[in-house]
Amino acid sequence: MFKLLVNRDYAALFAAQIVALLGTGLTTVALALLAFELAGSDAGQVLGTALAIKMVAYVTVAPIAGGLAPLVPRKTYLVTLDLLRAGLVLCLPFVTHVWQIYVLILLLQACSAGFTPVFQATIPDILEDEEDYTKALSLSRLAYDIESLVSPALAGAALLFLSFNAFFYANSGAFLISALLVFSITPRRAKAESAPVDIVDRITFGILAYLATPRLRGLLAMSMAVSAAGAMVIVNTVVLVQSQLNLAEEWTAVLLMAFGFGSMVAALSMPRVLLFVDDRTVSLVSGGAMGIALALGILMPGFAFATVLWAVIGAGYSAVLVCAGRLLQRSSTKPDRPAYFASQFALSHGCFLLTYPLAGWLGATYGLSVAFGVLAVLTFVSVVVANFVWPSQDERTLAHTHAALDHTHLHVHDAHHQHAHEGWEGPEPHRHPHYHAPLHHSHDFTIDLHHPAWPR
C-alpha cells in the first residue's frame, strides 16, 4: 500500500490530505472550546447548530461545485479553495459573537464541499490502475482513522502550553501547506468534456447521472446503511458509556477507539479482499454485519461486548466506503468524475442529515434500545434495497444503440466522433456543432452526454 507514495503526484496529494486532516481535527477541538467561551452551558446547542449548517452546506454546495469544477483548471480550483479555507479559519480567533461562528462555518464548509469531492476525484486520474486506486482508498481511510485518534491527543498536549486559538492558526497553516502541495502536482492533460454546456444542466448533471447508474443507486442505499450505523456510534456512544453503563468519560474514548480499530483493520484488508470478492458482495455483507451489530445492541450489552459491536460497525463502515470510491471510478469518465464524486458527497451527507437527529431523538426520547432497533431496521432495509437495485451481474462493457443526434460540446475524435472538418475547428479537444449518425456498439458504459440512459 505504501509503495504508492513513490508516485510523486499521489504522494503530494496524500500529504496534503494528512496535513489538512490534522489541522481540521485541531479546529474541531478549538471550536468546542470557543463555543463554551461564548455560550457557556449552551455550547452544545451552538455546536449542534454548527454541525447542521455543515451538513446543509455539504448537501447543497457539493453538486453545484462538482458541476462547475470542469470550467476551471483543476489545480487552480483546488489551490484557490485551500487558500479561501486558510483565510476563513484565520478569522475564527477574532470571533466575539455566536452568529459569527455560524457565518464562518457556513463559508468554510461551503469551501470544503467544493474542495473535497474534486480532490477525491483527482486521485483516480493519477492512479488509473484499479488495484492501485483501491490501495489509495484504503490508505485514505487509514489516514482518517489515525487522525481521529491523534488529533484529540495532540490537542490535549498542546493545551498544556497554548491557548485554543493557536489551533485555528495551525489549521490555517495546514491549509496553506495543502495548497502548496496541490500546486506542486503535474497538471493533467486537458480532456474532452461530456457534461452539458448549459449551466443549469451542468449543475444537475452529476446527480441525474449518478441516479441513472444502477450500481450507484445501490451505493446510495448502502450510504444510508452506513449513515444509520455511523450515526448511532457518533451520537450515542457517550450516552451508552456514561448514562447506560455508568462508566467514566474516558471509556467513551476507548469505545470510539474500538470503532476506529475495526475501521483500520478493514481498510488494511480491503486491497487483498477485493482481489477475490466483488464490490457488491463486500458492500452487502458489510451492511448486513452492521445491521446485526445494531440489532444485538438492543440487548444493551456490557462494555466488553459493546467494544466488539463497535469494531464490527467500524469494519463495515470502512469496507463500504472503500468500495464506494471504486464504484465511482468505474461509473464515470475522467472529465465527469468531479460531478459524480460531488453527487456521492452530497447524497451521503444527506443521509447523515437524516440519521444524526434521528439517532439523537430516539435515544433521548425512547431510550437506546429503541434507537438501536430502529437504526438496525433502517440498515437492513437499506441493504435489501441495495440488493434489488444493484444488478448481481454488473457488467462494465455493455452493447447499446445511439440514435442520430446534432449537438455541440468539447470533444476529441473517438469512437463517438467520426466527422469531417472544414479547417477552422482548431486542435483537439475542440468545440463545434457536429452530427452523430445512428450507431450500435459496445464499450465500458457510463452515463454522460452521449449516454443519457442505462441500456436495458
Side-chain angles (χ1 to χ4, degrees):
M1 192 183 297
F2 290 94
K3 291 179 181 178
L4 295 177
L5 298 177
V6 300
N7 183 312
R8 178 183 172 279
D9 285 348
Y10 173 70
L13 290 180
F14 184 66
Q17 180 190 22
I18 293 291
V19 170
L21 278 175
L22 285 173
T24 303
L26 292 176
T27 288
T28 300
V29 175
L31 196 60
L33 296 173
L34 175 61
F36 185 79
E37 183 179 273
L38 295 178
S41 59
D42 292 330
Q45 181 180 345
V46 172
L47 290 173
T49 303
L51 179 62
I53 290 172
K54 171 183 174 180
M55 289 297 170
V56 170
Y58 281 1
V59 171
T60 56
V61 174
I64 299 172
L68 300 182
L71 300 177
V72 183
R74 182 77 60 86
K75 193 161 73 169
T76 302
Y77 175 91
L78 292 173
V79 169
T80 300
L81 286 176
D82 253 343
L83 293 177
L84 286 173
R85 294 198 293 177
L88 289 167
V89 171
L90 205 56
C91 295
L92 284 169
F94 306 101
V95 163
T96 55
H97 297 85
V98 169
W99 67 266
Q100 295 169 340
I101 292 180
Y102 297 153
V103 172
L104 288 172
I105 290 298
L106 175 62
L107 295 174
L108 179 62
Q109 300 307 332
C111 289
S112 293
F115 180 92
T116 303
V118 177
F119 179 88
Q120 292 171 339
T122 303
I123 296 174
D125 288 355
I126 293 171
L127 301 175
E128 298 190 35
D129 179 75
E130 187 172 69
E131 187 175 342
D132 284 345
Y133 179 52
T134 302
K135 293 175 183 177
L137 289 169
S138 295
L139 204 55
S140 179
R141 281 306 316 159
L142 202 59
Y144 275 103
D145 292 327
I146 292 174
E147 181 277 327
S148 68
L149 300 176
V150 170
S151 288
L154 187 62
L159 284 171
L160 297 175
F161 309 99
L162 301 169
S163 161
F164 67 82
N165 280 327
F167 297 171
F168 296 131
Y169 298 125
N171 192 14
S172 181
F175 285 140
L176 289 175
I177 294 171
S178 173
L180 288 172
L181 289 166
V182 172
F183 184 77
S184 73
I185 69 173
T186 304
R188 302 290 103 183
R189 189 175 71 85
K191 298 287 183 179
E193 61 182 351
S194 61
V197 176
D198 181 80
I199 197 72
V200 175
D201 289 341
R202 275 186 179 276
I203 292 170
T204 58
F205 166 76
I207 294 288
L208 295 177
Y210 182 106
L211 295 176
T213 305
R215 71 173 72 92
L216 296 185
R217 292 199 294 269
L219 175 59
L220 178 56
M222 291 308 307
S223 296
M224 180 58 77
V226 164
S227 71
M232 189 66 199
V233 170
I234 294 166
V235 174
N236 285 324
T237 296
V238 64
V239 181
L240 175 64
V241 171
Q242 294 179 230
S243 178
Q244 194 69 36
L245 299 177
N246 296 313
L247 298 174
E249 60 184 11
E250 55 264 29
W251 292 103
T252 299
V254 174
L255 195 52
L256 289 172
M257 285 175 64
F259 175 84
F261 175 77
S263 179
M264 285 189 282
V265 169
L268 290 168
S269 304
M270 279 301 103
R272 183 167 297 276
V273 170
L274 289 167
L275 290 175
F276 305 101
V277 187
D278 63 272
D279 297 86
R280 183 179 185 273
T281 301
V282 169
S283 297
L284 295 176
V285 170
S286 299
M290 289 189 291
I292 291 170
L294 289 173
L296 290 173
I298 298 172
L299 303 176
M300 299 310 298
F303 184 82
F305 192 49
T307 59
V308 176
L309 299 183
W310 257 230
V312 170
I313 293 173
Y317 187 100
S318 184
V320 173
L321 292 182
V322 170
C323 291
R326 286 165 51 93
L327 295 170
L328 292 166
Q329 178 205 32
R330 191 176 304 157
S331 302
S332 59
T333 56
K334 284 185 180 181
D336 297 333
R337 206 158 277 154
Y340 277 81
F341 273 80
S343 298
Q344 169 63 14
F345 188 83
L347 292 170
S348 61
H349 282 91
C351 293
F352 274 107
L353 194 57
L354 169 66
T355 56
Y356 273 148
L358 181 63
W361 174 72
L362 287 171
T365 307
Y366 299 104
L368 290 186
S369 289
V370 172
F372 271 117
V374 172
L375 292 171
V377 170
L378 180 56
T379 302
F380 284 129
V381 169
S382 299
V383 172
V384 170
V385 170
N387 183 58
F388 276 103
V389 302
W390 189 343
S392 57
Q393 298 298 319
D394 190 15
E395 301 294 338
R396 299 178 67 168
T397 301
L398 298 175
H400 55 281
T401 300
H402 294 271
L405 178 66
D406 282 290
H407 65 173
T408 301
H409 67 100
L410 196 67
H411 65 277
V412 296
H413 284 188
D414 55 16
H416 295 95
H417 298 89
Q418 300 296 328
H419 48 254
H421 290 87
E422 299 174 6
W424 55 267
E425 295 85 357
E428 299 176 29
H430 54 204
R431 187 193 310 273
H432 63 84
H434 56 276
Y435 169 74
H436 290 271
L439 176 67
H440 182 84
H441 63 172
S442 300
H443 58 75
D444 282 2
F445 193 92
T446 62
I447 298 293
D448 56 28
L449 191 62
H450 295 101
H451 309 88
W454 204 261
R456 294 186 180 275

